[in-house]
Amino acid sequence: MLTLQAKKFETISSSDTVAILCTQEQIDSNSFIPQPLSDVFAIINTKTFKAKPNTYFFAALKDKPSILLVGLGSHKDITPESLRNAASVIVGACSDKSVSEVHIVVPEINVTNDTARYIAEGVYLANYAFNRYKTQKEETSPLLEKAILLSDNPGQLSPLLKEVSIVCSNTLLCRDLVNEITENANPLTIAKLAKKIAAQSKIKCTVYNKKDIEKMKMGLLLAVSQGSMYPPHLIVMHYKGAPSKKDSIALVGKGITFDTGGINLKPSGHIETMRTDMAGAAACLYTINAIAQMKLPINVYTVIPLAENMISHTAYKPGDVFTAYNGKTVEIGNTDAEGRLILADALSFTEKKLKPKAIIDIATLTGACIVSFGEIVAAYLTSDESLSTALFNASETTGEKIWRMPLYKEYNEEIKSDIADIVNVPAVRNAGTIIGATFLKNFIENTPWAHIDIAGTSWYSKNRGYNPKNATGFGVRLLYEFVKNFGVR
Ligand code: BES
Ligand code: MG
Ligand code: ZN
């Protein structure tokens, strides 16, 4: 993983590479050259460089530091996200030029006080590749080993860089787990991994196996898993950073390690990426790890139902009826709407047994969410205004974008069943994301609750700025920021 440091400008030596982020206005007025580097700029010609976003200029010099100019675009267009993305250009350029250690001049732009944070985040998050299954390592692009932010007051930056390193390294670990193949990321291996993480980070962890789940009568989690060779598991983790307080926040993550669709089998074109269906679980796992590593003074639960939605002769079928943990009966309208089933049991268990102050679930729940928001924005639904505000604020801070959808009670009519209390998918398939959340709402009695649908944002079909193609790790930074501010202390 990347080492992030802060140092004074004077520490630069002639063998170093210095990255300078500059705006078009700074280029036009020739005011982008840091004073200590003026002798270097005297001998290089930067005239062709216009500081447009996503562009860079590189000059390798003998006996002087090498220079990397990176465009920020126009001053008026600078945002936290544009700074993170510009920082990702530094990473790409260093990879192209095989530079493994870079010094970065933090630009003085009076847009935000957090420029250093956004640049550090962008560098950390862009510096990622999933190469585990490449045997020809020469074909993989090299990553940065060290990024050093140049500052007059390096000591001031170090707590910030520590937090960025912890939260972003957990985001990268989340990506790794979601990218991992099902042979190595299934209900058994993820339960083991949770135990290992918990032991390292002083988190309490209980793993319930199939027998326990049968005893607890989680009929929906059992139904979804019954076609698979992997038995279901339920992970409960508890981090107590505020031992004197009894309130906790609970994070619940969908852990379908592969979603074939079951008997309602997914077609080609939709099934290939379905190992991403545990991205909610992975986000919860690494959020609680980040919180524990930062020793935040708050209490958090993470609850993860794990199953594989497999097609087989033992698989559950459309038209079947199962009894949930909370006693409600559920008709299976479609075996591909499995996420809401395992979450239903996990949510009522969380409310009844753990009694948290608030519950947030995060899930790759509906393809309809991608229809609404594409891969850029996650949907969130809640009836609680203070949760809504806190989640949205965390989204604005982190750049992990979420947008609210309504949960009007009229939608309840749609999931009435002829033969059971409710059905997991209505015959007419409108408002898919809202219907998914409306189903989940039936399994919460009165705890403030919010649902986040990350079907689009957890997996990218192409590289976008500091997020790579495939697993994005979406949710770790959002939930960390939310719990940090909302948690009881
Ligand atoms: N895991 C999928 C949702 C999904 C789709 C996640 C694309 C990531 C990318 C979920 O289990 C599912 O299959 N949902 C169905 C629901 C339908 C049967 C009501 C869907 O969206 O088609
Ligand atoms: Mg499905
Ligand atoms: Zn699914």
Side-chain angles (χ1 to χ4, degrees):
M1 289 263 182
L2 183 74
T3 305
L4 272 181
Q5 289 179 344
K7 284 190 184 165
K8 289 201 174 194
F9 222 112
E10 296 81 76
T11 60
I12 293 179
S13 78
S14 57
S15 58
D16 290 335
T17 298
V18 184
I20 303 168
L21 297 141
C22 45
T23 64
Q24 285 164 0
E25 290 83 357
Q26 284 172 323
I27 288 279
D28 292 343
S29 64
N30 219 9
S31 63
F32 65 97
I33 301 170
Q35 216 277 320
L37 292 174
S38 49
D39 61 324
V40 182
F41 279 90
I43 57 170
I44 57 175
N45 180 357
T46 59
K47 286 227 163 61
T48 53
F49 184 66
K50 301 287 177 235
K52 294 217 166 74
N54 292 314
T55 64
Y56 73 83
F57 168 96
F58 184 76
L61 299 171
K62 247 199 174 149
D63 308 324
K64 297 227 183 292
S66 297
I67 299 294
L68 171 65
L69 296 181
V70 171
L72 286 173
S74 174
H75 186 272
K76 63 176 189 327
D77 297 329
I78 293 180
T79 61
E81 278 292 83
S82 79
L83 288 167
R84 292 187 190 99
N85 285 324
S88 79
V89 176
I90 301 179
V91 177
C94 289
S95 178
D96 291 348
K97 307 291 173 193
S98 295
V99 171
S100 60
E101 188 177 319
V102 66
H103 290 70
I104 303 171
V105 179
V106 179
E108 281 179 31
I109 35 169
N110 357 321
V111 178
T112 150
N113 295 327
D114 280 330
T115 308
R117 168 185 292 273
Y118 303 135
I119 289 172
E121 287 173 346
V123 168
Y124 211 111
L125 294 168
N127 196 44
Y128 177 80
F130 185 74
N131 289 336
R132 233 167 253 184
Y133 298 102
K134 294 252 187 214
T135 57
Q136 309 302 110
K137 294 294 175 200
E138 320 73 80
E139 282 183 18
T140 62
S141 30
L143 294 179
L144 274 179
E145 281 158 26
K146 205 188 244 188
I148 300 145
L149 300 198
L150 297 169
S151 156
D152 294 337
N153 198 341
Q156 218 176 2
L157 280 184
S158 60
L160 172 104
L161 296 184
K162 181 187 164 206
E163 187 178 39
V164 170
S165 300
I166 287 179
V167 178
C168 293
S169 61
N170 278 289
T171 305
L172 303 193
L173 291 169
C174 176
R175 287 180 190 167
D176 276 346
L177 183 57
V178 176
N179 280 324
E180 187 53 272
I181 60 171
T182 61
E183 175 92 11
N184 296 324
N186 56 57
L188 293 171
T189 58
I190 296 177
K192 275 195 196 138
L193 175 67
K195 282 260 183 206
K196 190 173 138 203
I197 289 175
Q200 282 166 355
S201 298
K202 300 206 173 101
I203 300 168
K204 194 181 154 215
C205 179
T206 312
V207 173
Y208 297 93
N209 63 20
K210 186 176 175 199
K211 270 217 173 89
D212 303 322
I213 294 168
E214 282 168 352
K215 260 191 226 138
M216 295 192 288
K217 297 204 163 93
M218 295 190 167
L220 304 183
L221 177 55
L222 287 165
V224 171
S225 71
Q226 78 187 31
S228 171
M229 70 184 215
Y230 300 113
H233 281 86
L234 182 79
I235 307 173
V236 179
M237 299 168 91
H238 195 191
Y239 165 72
K240 283 198 100 171
S244 63
K245 299 280 184 327
K246 71 177 208 312
D247 278 341
S248 297
I249 307 258
L251 306 175
V252 181
K254 171 177 172 182
I256 292 291
T257 58
F258 194 83
D259 183 9
T260 66
I263 302 292
N264 293 104
L265 186 64
K266 284 187 185 295
S268 294
H270 293 266
I271 202 168
E272 295 78 5
T273 57
M274 278 303 134
R275 69 184 191 281
T276 188
D277 220 16
M278 34 60 80
C284 291
L285 191 54
Y286 287 107
T287 301
I288 197 169
N289 195 37
I291 290 169
Q293 289 178 344
M294 277 301 292
K295 303 194 168 68
L296 294 187
I298 50 183
N299 302 327
V300 197
Y301 280 110
T302 280
V303 179
I304 299 174
L306 288 165
E308 182 186 57
N309 188 21
M310 195 59 193
I311 179 170
S312 83
H313 66 288
T314 59
Y316 76 136
K317 302 168 205 76
D320 282 351
V321 173
F322 298 95
T323 305
Y325 177 81
N326 74 350
K328 285 193 186 177
T329 55
V330 177
E331 177 195 352
I332 307 305
N334 189 310
T335 60
D336 198 9
E338 81 298 335
R340 64 199 68 183
L341 298 173
I342 68 165
L343 282 173
D345 278 348
L347 286 172
S348 20
F349 167 87
T350 302
E351 179 173 42
K352 284 190 193 346
K353 288 285 178 253
L354 311 179
K355 302 184 173 61
K357 191 185 94 146
I359 304 175
I360 311 292
D361 80 74
I362 180 162
T364 46
L365 207 71
T366 64
C369 184
I370 311 177
V371 175
S372 303
F373 293 130
E375 295 175 347
I376 310 293
V377 175
Y380 80 107
L381 303 94
T382 180
S383 309
D384 187 278
E385 293 310 313
S386 70
L387 273 188
S388 174
T389 308
L391 281 169
F392 190 71
N393 289 343
S395 158
E396 294 273 280
T397 308
T398 56
E400 295 203 316
K401 298 169 190 61
I402 62 172
W403 200 258
R404 194 171 178 185
M405 280 182 167
L407 261 184
Y408 295 119
K409 66 176 187 319
E410 282 79 355
Y411 288 106
N412 283 324
E413 291 298 312
E414 312 295 315
I415 53 169
K416 285 198 167 146
S417 162
D418 298 339
I419 57 170
D421 296 337
I422 47 175
V423 61
N424 73 338
V425 175
V428 185
R429 284 229 220 138
N430 290 325
T433 304
I434 299 176
I435 293 298
T438 302
F439 181 88
L440 296 178
K441 197 173 74 172
N442 274 276
F443 298 88
I444 297 276
E445 272 166 19
N446 40 38
T447 307
W449 160 75
H451 161 66
I452 308 173
D453 193 331
I454 56 167
T457 53
S458 65
W459 188 274
Y460 274 5
S461 54
K462 60 171 193 190
N463 178 72
R464 288 189 181 86
Y466 61 88
N467 277 315
K469 188 174 184 232
N470 297 350
T472 60
F474 186 99
V476 174
R477 293 188 305 119
L478 175 77
L479 291 174
Y480 173 87
E481 188 66 25
F482 162 78
V483 176
K484 180 179 164 185
N485 296 317
F486 197 81
V488 189
R489 34 193 98 221

